[in-house]
Amino acid sequence: MSEEEMIEGGGEGVIKKFLYLNRRAPYGSIYALESLEVVLIGAAFEQDVSVAFIDDGVYQLTKGQDTKGVEMKNFSPTYRALEMYDVEKLYVFKESLDERGLTEDDLIVDVEVVDAKQMADLMDEQEVILSF
Amino acid sequence: MSEEEMIEGGGEGVIKKFLYLNRRAPYGSIYALESLEVVLIGAAFEQDVSVAFIDDGVYQLTKGQDTKGVEMKNFSPTYRALEMYDVEKLYVFKESLDERGLTEDDLIVDVEVVDAKQMADLMDEQEVILSF
Amino acid sequence: MKLGVQVNEGPYQHQASDSAYQFVKAAVEKGHEIFRVFFYHDGVNNGTRLATPPQDDRNVANRWSELAAKHDIDLVLCVAAAQRRGIADADEAKRNGKDADNIAPGFRISGLGQLIEAGIQCDRLVVFGD
Amino acid sequence: MKLGVQVNEGPYQHQASDSAYQFVKAAVEKGHEIFRVFFYHDGVNNGTRLATPPQDDRNVANRWSELAAKHDIDLVLCVAAAQRRGIADADEAKRNGKDADNIAPGFRISGLGQLIEAGIQCDRLVVFGD
Amino acid sequence: MPTLHTVNKSPFDKTSLNSCLRFAKDGSSILLIEDGVYAALNGTTFTEAVKTAMKNVTVYALQPDIEARGMANKVIDGIKLVDYAGFVDLVEQNDRVESWL
Amino acid sequence: MPTLHTVNKSPFDKTSLNSCLRFAKDGSSILLIEDGVYAALNGTTFTEAVKTAMKNVTVYALQPDIEARGMANKVIDGIKLVDYAGFVDLVEQNDRVESWL
């Protein structure tokens, strides 16, 4: 049984604001990968989805990841595929980039870089927040 | 099969310096409890054992723990039993107490409170360090 | 109030599953509806029937099974997370060529869509984890 | 050099088991002796044979079993930690009245004394965890 | 549109409390649970930061977690203690729950 | 009697690097692995603390973990990159391993 076979409609017509909140680095733990899996599956439900990257979550989006040495799956290219799933609202917290010496140029996808107030506003608009 | 049935002599005559390094608070995770279980089982091997409490590990030793509300086992009285197992060298890092507003009076057992240099010296004397 | 709960950690290692259980129990006692408890990440490890914790400690998996039986609560283990970590029901075991299964009573295995559905259907979704 | 390794976390959730595996593999390739790998805490979850990870990902449990078979490495799951978390061999399952077991080939269940013994016998003990 | 933020980690161990405080809006609530309750105590290096935050947000701590850790007599004045039923009430009274894991 | 310290957590997430630096003696070695390698990078808020520590201790970082995270071109000068075989050598060359988990 795979994920795809298990999707069922569950609330046709209802559109809620979902925020996926990513605060962890990739590879050191599985949260980043399994968060991405929820986002992809969730896309089939056609909700109003935003994905936020703050704290070490911004490391999920860095270019140049090469996992041959650790023998793990490099899932970073999948962030580029989000657009095809109509997941287009990706927000990155500017201070989290700054603290890590990163800029938008270091990231593998186009994102909206926001400040603390904008991020707090975004969080406060949501109906469902999934934390990873 | 219980732990007790499984103890076998494994190196009679060899006495090594073992340090158990406790850096986590109790109950939020199981590390504190399962560390204590190793210390108790390890006592049968008659090694030269020290137990260090630094960072949130100092919270393991606080008086007055009452776990009825969380329905978990209160294992803090077991620290008092360590003496009966000839585990007598308990070291607590003074700065970790200070940062948490704790003093020796808050602790359930007698310990030696040490400064950073003493703790670093203790670590550097060891042959085996088990981190939890 | 209709509630959904997500549990990201397994039993014992972290308090997350304990907190989620106490929260669900309190919500039921107050008359709220628990739409679903969704176990994700290591949370799927709550759904084993092979655990034998010490007599003087709580039995985390059993407690979930009992609560589900008593109040008809839907306990769902994420299929992808369960496959990674070795939690299987009879169907999954057969499908994947395994000679045994280990799922506990009251749990079922299903897809991540069940989590999204809980988000859509519930008045609140509460996440417990490490 | 005679090496002991302790693994405190299960597969996938944290990198600890991956790091420990790569370390052990490298040590063996350099000709060192691995006296024992001791799985404690959630580390016991590495020892299940019921996992079916995605085809494009590594199979953490299988990988340990294969390494053990190839180089005759002693993989020990802590009995107390395994009982709490639902990892059982045939004996444990029988003793605890369970209808199934789930231990993977190459692993054995034993007591915490095996960890202490590794500390005594080995030139170095290296701990991997969360 | 108030939010209930939950924090379950010791501020000495992880930085999640800091992150929560960065984004918690005036008028929102923070519930400290599990090892997060160590942020609710007097005399620590985090006491002042929490007291400052309390000017703008309401801080709660889960009493069973406080008691488990033996900290019942050290809680900062003004932090409200709730049990699991009170946790459920807070979830109901707010529009959403944001878990800082 | 040199010690090899390992740190596997991001300094942005957990405080274990700070604890390690408090106790690591002059002449000892620190190996950054897993998410700990984020401490090995230029331009972060931890760069200066790590550079200061490097006056007294030797800092290594695990290359496979650096590469997995796409950070190969950001490593602080003077931090030595090792692979898993190099990790084993460091364990052999030191008298004990202290894991800051």
Side-chain angles (χ1 to χ4, degrees):
Chain A
M1 183 157 52
S2 72
E3 283 293 344
E4 286 67 24
E5 296 169 66
M6 285 181 164
I7 293 176
E8 309 144 27
E12 286 80 359
V14 181
I15 296 187
K16 280 195 173 180
K17 293 175 83 74
F18 273 69
L19 176 67
Y20 297 93
L21 181 60
N22 294 292
R23 296 182 48 245
R24 317 232 192 184
Y27 309 116
S29 63
I30 201 171
Y31 301 100
L33 169 60
E34 292 192 328
S35 166
L36 189 55
E37 290 181 350
V38 186
V39 174
L40 292 171
I41 295 291
F45 288 78
E46 301 187 342
Q47 302 294 301
D48 182 0
V49 170
S50 299
V51 188
F53 299 87
I54 68 176
D55 295 330
D56 280 349
V58 303
Y59 283 133
Q60 296 177 21
L61 302 177
T62 53
K63 288 177 185 165
Q65 298 177 24
D66 176 357
T67 55
K68 276 197 299 292
V70 294
E71 295 182 16
M72 298 166 81
K73 178 181 165 184
N74 176 3
F75 55 92
S76 64
T78 311
Y79 293 104
R80 287 218 206 94
L82 286 176
E83 209 176 355
M84 294 190 305
Y85 288 80
D86 294 321
V87 177
E88 292 172 336
K89 296 193 276 188
L90 309 183
Y91 301 92
V92 168
F93 181 42
K94 182 167 189 309
E95 277 183 50
S96 296
L97 290 177
D98 292 346
E99 290 164 357
R100 289 161 184 77
L102 299 173
T103 68
E104 270 189 84
D105 287 345
D106 292 303
L107 306 184
I108 198 168
V109 279
D110 287 336
V111 298
E112 188 169 341
V113 177
V114 299
D115 64 19
K117 177 167 185 321
Q118 291 169 309
M119 186 61 84
D121 287 345
L122 177 76
M123 291 169 177
D124 247 35
E125 286 166 10
Q126 304 303 316
E127 292 172 275
V128 183
I129 301 177
L130 296 175
S131 301
F132 295 101
Chain B
M1 182 157 55
S2 72
E3 283 294 345
E4 285 67 26
E5 297 168 65
M6 285 181 164
I7 294 176
E8 311 145 25
E12 288 79 357
V14 181
I15 295 185
K16 278 194 173 181
K17 292 175 84 74
F18 273 70
L19 176 67
Y20 297 93
L21 181 60
N22 293 292
R23 294 182 48 244
R24 318 232 191 186
Y27 309 118
S29 63
I30 202 171
Y31 300 101
L33 169 59
E34 291 192 329
S35 165
L36 189 55
E37 290 180 350
V38 186
V39 174
L40 291 172
I41 296 291
F45 289 78
E46 302 188 340
Q47 301 294 302
D48 181 1
V49 169
S50 300
V51 187
F53 299 86
I54 69 176
D55 295 330
D56 279 349
V58 302
Y59 282 133
Q60 296 178 20
L61 301 178
T62 53
K63 288 177 185 164
Q65 298 178 23
D66 176 357
T67 55
K68 276 197 298 293
V70 294
E71 296 182 15
M72 297 166 81
K73 179 181 164 184
N74 176 3
F75 54 92
S76 65
T78 312
Y79 293 104
R80 286 218 206 95
L82 286 176
E83 209 176 355
M84 293 188 309
Y85 289 78
D86 293 321
V87 176
E88 292 172 338
K89 294 193 276 186
L90 309 184
Y91 300 93
V92 167
F93 181 41
K94 183 169 188 311
E95 276 183 51
S96 297
L97 289 177
D98 292 347
E99 289 164 357
R100 289 161 184 77
L102 299 173
T103 67
E104 271 190 82
D105 287 344
D106 292 303
L107 306 184
I108 199 168
V109 279
D110 288 335
V111 298
E112 187 169 344
V113 177
V114 299
D115 64 20
K117 177 168 185 318
Q118 290 169 310
M119 186 61 83
D121 286 345
L122 178 76
M123 291 169 177
D124 248 34
E125 286 166 10
Q126 303 304 317
E127 292 173 275
V128 183
I129 300 178
L130 296 175
S131 300
F132 295 99
Chain C
M1 182 174 53
K2 197 189 281 190
L3 282 167
V5 172
Q6 179 183 338
V7 181
N8 289 343
E9 290 291 335
Y12 304 107
Q13 188 91 341
H14 297 282
Q15 200 184 341
S17 176
D18 290 277
S19 298
Y21 170 82
Q22 299 295 347
F23 176 84
V24 168
K25 190 156 74 95
V28 168
E29 283 165 5
K30 290 182 82 79
H32 296 296
E33 179 193 345
I34 302 296
F35 177 77
R36 180 169 295 149
V37 183
F38 190 87
F39 296 86
Y40 196 33
H41 306 286
D42 265 7
V44 298
N45 290 328
N46 285 287
T48 177
R49 69 171 183 276
L50 301 186
T52 313
Q55 300 272 347
D56 60 353
D57 203 352
R58 77 267 188 222
N59 189 322
V60 172
N62 269 11
R63 217 167 49 169
W64 279 116
S65 292
E66 286 164 15
L67 194 71
K70 192 167 167 192
H71 302 289
D72 197 24
I73 296 172
D74 190 20
L75 305 181
V76 178
L77 307 174
C78 168
V79 60
Q83 285 174 342
R84 274 200 182 92
R85 290 165 180 85
I87 302 292
D89 59 15
D91 279 358
E92 278 287 304
K94 195 176 168 199
R95 196 183 310 258
N96 297 314
K98 303 295 180 182
D99 62 344
D101 68 80
N102 57 350
I103 196 169
F107 289 86
R108 65 186 179 93
I109 293 180
S110 190
L112 276 167
Q114 301 272 311
L115 173 60
I116 309 296
E117 193 200 11
I120 295 170
Q121 297 287 338
C122 293
D123 300 307
R124 305 281 185 283
L125 184 76
V126 187
V127 186
F128 293 88
D130 175 29
Chain D
M1 179 175 52
K2 197 188 283 189
L3 282 167
V5 172
Q6 179 183 338
V7 180
N8 288 343
E9 292 290 334
Y12 303 109
Q13 189 89 342
H14 298 280
Q15 201 184 341
S17 175
D18 290 277
S19 299
Y21 170 82
Q22 298 295 348
F23 176 85
V24 167
K25 191 156 72 96
V28 168
E29 284 165 5
K30 290 182 82 80
H32 296 295
E33 177 193 347
I34 302 294
F35 176 76
R36 178 170 296 150
V37 184
F38 190 86
F39 297 86
Y40 196 33
H41 306 285
D42 264 7
V44 297
N45 291 327
N46 285 287
T48 178
R49 70 172 183 275
L50 301 186
T52 313
Q55 301 272 345
D56 60 352
D57 203 351
R58 78 263 188 226
N59 189 322
V60 173
N62 269 11
R63 215 167 50 171
W64 279 116
S65 293
E66 286 163 16
L67 194 70
K70 193 168 167 193
H71 302 289
D72 196 23
I73 296 172
D74 189 21
L75 306 180
V76 178
L77 307 174
C78 168
V79 59
Q83 285 175 342
R84 274 199 182 92
R85 291 165 179 84
I87 302 291
D89 59 16
D91 279 356
E92 278 287 305
K94 194 175 168 199
R95 197 183 310 257
N96 298 312
K98 304 293 180 183
D99 62 344
D101 67 81
N102 59 349
I103 197 169
F107 289 85
R108 65 185 178 94
I109 293 180
S110 189
L112 276 168
Q114 302 271 309
L115 172 60
I116 308 295
E117 193 199 12
I120 295 170
Q121 297 286 337
C122 292
D123 299 308
R124 304 282 185 281
L125 184 76
V126 187
V127 185
F128 294 87
D130 176 27
Chain E
M1 299 287 283
T3 298
L4 176 65
H5 300 268
T6 65
V7 176
N8 74 330
K9 284 290 174 288
S10 162
F12 297 99
D13 185 41
K14 288 198 73 171
T15 55
S16 46
L17 176 68
N18 282 341
S19 296
C20 172
L21 292 176
R22 256 176 170 170
F23 298 108
K25 289 204 161 198
D26 289 3
S28 65
S29 297
I30 299 176
L31 173 61
L32 304 169
I33 68 171
E34 303 176 1
D35 289 342
V37 300
Y38 290 119
L41 308 181
N42 278 309
T44 83
T45 49
F46 287 94
T47 305
E48 279 314 305
V50 172
K51 281 186 177 172
T52 301
M54 287 167 66
K55 292 175 186 164
N56 303 309
V57 302
T58 310
V59 178
Y60 300 82
L62 199 61
Q63 186 152 15
D65 281 323
I66 292 275
E67 288 171 353
R69 290 158 183 81
M71 296 292 152
N73 59 350
K74 293 181 190 290
V75 178
I76 295 168
D77 274 352
I79 290 187
K80 297 171 193 194
L81 297 183
V82 296
D83 59 9
Y84 291 105
F87 185 174
V88 174
D89 291 341
L90 285 171
V91 168
E92 189 171 22
Q93 290 155 17
N94 287 274
D95 292 310
R96 69 195 67 71
V97 183
E98 183 161 8
S99 302
W100 295 88
L101 301 176
Chain F
M1 299 285 284
T3 297
L4 175 66
H5 300 269
T6 66
V7 176
N8 74 330
K9 284 291 173 287
S10 162
F12 296 100
D13 185 40
K14 289 198 71 172
T15 56
S16 45
L17 176 68
N18 281 342
S19 295
C20 172
L21 292 177
R22 253 176 172 169
F23 298 107
K25 289 204 162 197
D26 289 3
S28 65
S29 297
I30 298 177
L31 173 62
L32 303 169
I33 68 170
E34 303 176 5
D35 289 344
V37 300
Y38 290 118
L41 308 180
N42 278 308
T44 85
T45 49
F46 286 93
T47 306
E48 280 314 305
V50 172
K51 282 187 177 172
T52 302
M54 287 166 67
K55 292 174 187 165
N56 303 309
V57 301
T58 310
V59 178
Y60 300 82
L62 199 61
Q63 186 152 13
D65 281 323
I66 290 275
E67 288 171 353
R69 289 158 183 80
M71 298 293 152
N73 59 351
K74 294 182 189 289
V75 178
I76 295 168
D77 274 353
I79 290 186
K80 299 173 191 191
L81 298 183
V82 296
D83 59 9
Y84 292 104
F87 185 174
V88 174
D89 290 340
L90 284 171
V91 168
E92 189 172 22
Q93 289 155 16
N94 286 275
D95 292 310
R96 70 194 67 71
V97 183
E98 183 160 10
S99 302
W100 293 87
L101 302 176

